[in-house]
Amino acid sequence: MKRFGKLGILLAVLIVLAAMPAVANTSTYLITVTSGLTGTQGLGFALVAGDDLPGNNSVFLSGFNFYGGSGPDVGTDSCFGGCSGNLSSAVSLTENGSFVSLFTQNFDPLYFSMFVTLTNNAPNDGNPSPTPAEFQMFLCTADFSSCYGSNQVTGALVTVDLTGGPLSFNTYGDGTVGVRASLAPEPGSIVLLSSGLLGGLAGLWRRHSHK
């Protein structure tokens, strides 16, 4: 019974550790956009810092999947502020002291999906009361004169609050464009939890076998 008690305690500790939040508030979402649009459109991502101090917030977009259309090679990507990458591989946005980091690129979509990893370390940017930072995603006409499925206040299809506490995630859509976001588990966390659990069980099994 004592052995089973130790096993139960180990499992309980592992479960509690798995449930504890990480030091940095990082979340990964799978975002799927259904548009049915034809012809060249514009896709944009913005990290609005809200102040001119270097911040610790960052956004990493990866795993782009384009279904139909001609994909991300219709137009040249454009970066302003702390952004890099392209739709063929990955895009990064960071707070580097600019008011906004902005990435835009034209493409020909039907519908598409991507992984968006958001890291919120605010307000650890040296500002005791920073202006709220926000991540925004736009799907617009090729010249970005108007955007689809947008919220009337922000003009963005997707917005994420990056300041303090849990990440606040919002999506907007209309009859032309639909967007769906789901929280995606981080592969590293799953591997770490699994290896810890298996290692603990293996250790208990060895101790039991040697007695």
Side-chain angles (χ1 to χ4, degrees):
M1 288 297 292
K2 289 184 178 179
R3 295 191 187 101
F4 289 108
K6 292 179 180 178
L7 177 60
I9 292 173
L10 175 63
L11 290 174
V13 170
L14 289 173
I15 292 172
V16 170
L17 290 175
M20 292 176 62
V23 174
N25 189 357
T26 299
S27 297
T28 299
Y29 295 91
L30 172 62
I31 296 181
T32 303
V33 178
T34 304
S35 68
L37 300 172
T38 57
T40 304
Q41 309 294 328
L43 184 62
F45 308 105
L47 178 54
V48 182
D51 56 50
D52 57 0
L53 295 175
N56 295 321
N57 295 318
S58 64
V59 179
F60 182 71
L61 302 106
S62 61
F64 292 101
N65 282 310
F66 295 89
Y67 309 91
S70 57
D73 298 321
V74 172
T76 303
D77 61 279
S78 175
C79 273
F80 175 80
C83 73
S84 63
N86 58 72
L87 299 182
S88 298
S89 54
V91 175
S92 295
L93 300 171
T94 57
E95 286 188 77
N96 66 348
S98 300
F99 182 79
V100 61
S101 299
L102 178 66
F103 170 91
T104 61
Q105 186 168 343
N106 290 339
F107 74 122
D108 183 2
L110 286 178
Y111 62 97
F112 56 94
S113 65
M114 70 199 73
F115 287 100
V116 180
T117 301
L118 304 126
T119 300
N120 167 23
N121 288 310
N124 299 323
D125 61 356
N127 188 344
S129 57
T131 304
E134 186 176 66
F135 167 71
Q136 301 175 351
M137 187 182 83
F138 303 86
L139 178 61
C140 309
T141 56
D143 60 359
F144 288 91
S145 60
S146 62
C147 298
Y148 305 101
S150 63
N151 172 264
Q152 293 180 353
V153 177
T154 65
L157 182 66
V158 171
T159 63
V160 185
D161 181 8
L162 287 167
T163 58
L167 296 169
S168 178
F169 192 91
N170 298 292
T171 60
Y172 305 98
D174 59 15
T176 306
V177 173
V179 59
R180 178 182 178 184
S182 57
L183 193 61
E186 297 179 49
S189 299
I190 296 175
V191 172
L192 184 62
L193 174 61
S194 300
S195 60
L197 178 60
L198 291 176
L201 292 176
L204 283 179
W205 178 258
R206 285 195 297 270
R207 287 179 60 187
H208 175 70
S209 300
H210 290 147
K211 289 185 178 181

